[in-house]
Amino acid sequence: MSFSPLTVGFDLDMTLIDSRPGIRACYQALSQRTGVFIDADLAVTRLGPPLADELVNWFPAEQVEAVADMYRAMYPTHAITATPAMTGAREAIAAVRAAGGRAIVVTAKYEPNAKLHLGHLGIEPDAVVGDLWAEGKARALREYGAGIYVGDHTGDVRGARTAGALSVAVATGPCDEEELRAAGADVVLKDLLAFPDWLATHRGARL
């Protein structure tokens, strides 16, 4: 595989997309179908880790795998159209492309559903890799030669650092700026609107 001189990885939930409305709706539908109470408002305050990590709070461990399959099957109906892009998401991808680079998405979300979100929003990364969390994201980041990984969670910081990539954190998810810095983020931005200027400065400093 030949690598672009610049490859930037992006997380999905709460980095490129505000998945809270869609995930809330899907959890509410799942609760109605299973008859099991799920506090959907609470669940969407802690997005980032794999689905099973949330479901185990509401279902017996032996049921989690089957319930996760049910949730993923319901997800396209309830979550895709309800989910907007995060402010600055399109501009961030465009900035990478303008710099002659490639933008990839590496996410813990079930990959087919991640692709549905991006297609619905008209965001077209060069690759999408799903079902990877925290340090596990390093596999895809290394495979695609990503030198920068952008995410909103301390797990994303760990993934970047494990891959030897620069960790750029955005404080748009469940982790605030202090948490992200404490986790070892190299750069912390308020949101993706700040990313194009940061990238231009970063690239300029390397020339």
Side-chain angles (χ1 to χ4, degrees), residues 100-115:
R102 299 185 310 167
I104 67 171
V105 172
V106 182
T107 174
K109 189 178 291 296
Y110 180 55
E111 189 173 305
N113 288 340
K115 290 178 176 178

Side-chain angles (χ1 to χ4, degrees), residues 19-195:
S19 50
R20 292 171 297 184
I23 289 177
R24 180 186 292 110
C26 197
Y27 275 133
Q28 289 170 339
L30 181 67
S31 179
Q32 183 174 13
R33 178 173 294 188
T34 61
V36 174
F37 172 74
I38 300 171
D39 188 337
D41 291 323
L42 175 60
V44 298
T45 67
R46 48 196 187 198
L47 299 180
L51 173 62
D53 287 18
E54 182 61 43
L55 292 179
V56 77
N57 294 307
W58 314 107
F59 295 89
E62 65 272 15
Q63 295 180 17
V64 164
E65 184 176 356
V67 174
D69 287 343
M70 184 186 303
Y71 172 95
R72 293 185 184 109
M74 297 169 63
Y75 193 94
T77 299
H78 296 280
I80 301 301
T81 59
T83 298
M86 293 292 285
T87 301
R90 293 181 177 87
E91 292 86 346
I93 300 289
V96 175
R97 296 263 170 73
R102 299 185 310 167
I104 67 171
V105 172
V106 182
T107 174
K109 189 178 291 296
Y110 180 55
E111 189 173 305
N113 288 340
K115 290 178 176 178
L116 287 176
H117 275 300
L118 293 163
H120 174 72
L121 294 169
I123 297 174
E124 299 180 353
D126 295 281
V128 180
V129 182
D131 304 292
L132 297 177
W133 163 240
E135 290 85 353
K137 293 185 175 188
R139 177 177 64 79
L141 296 174
R142 290 189 186 116
E143 179 182 350
Y144 285 91
I148 300 168
Y149 185 59
V150 185
D152 65 281
H153 199 283
T154 55
D156 299 322
V157 176
R158 301 200 307 272
R161 296 184 70 83
T162 302
L166 193 74
S167 172
V168 177
V170 286
T172 50
C175 303
D176 62 25
E177 293 184 21
E178 184 177 346
E179 288 177 274
L180 294 165
R181 289 194 181 94
D186 297 294
V187 178
V188 179
L189 305 175
K190 180 180 178 181
D191 55 35
L192 283 179
L193 283 176
F195 180 80

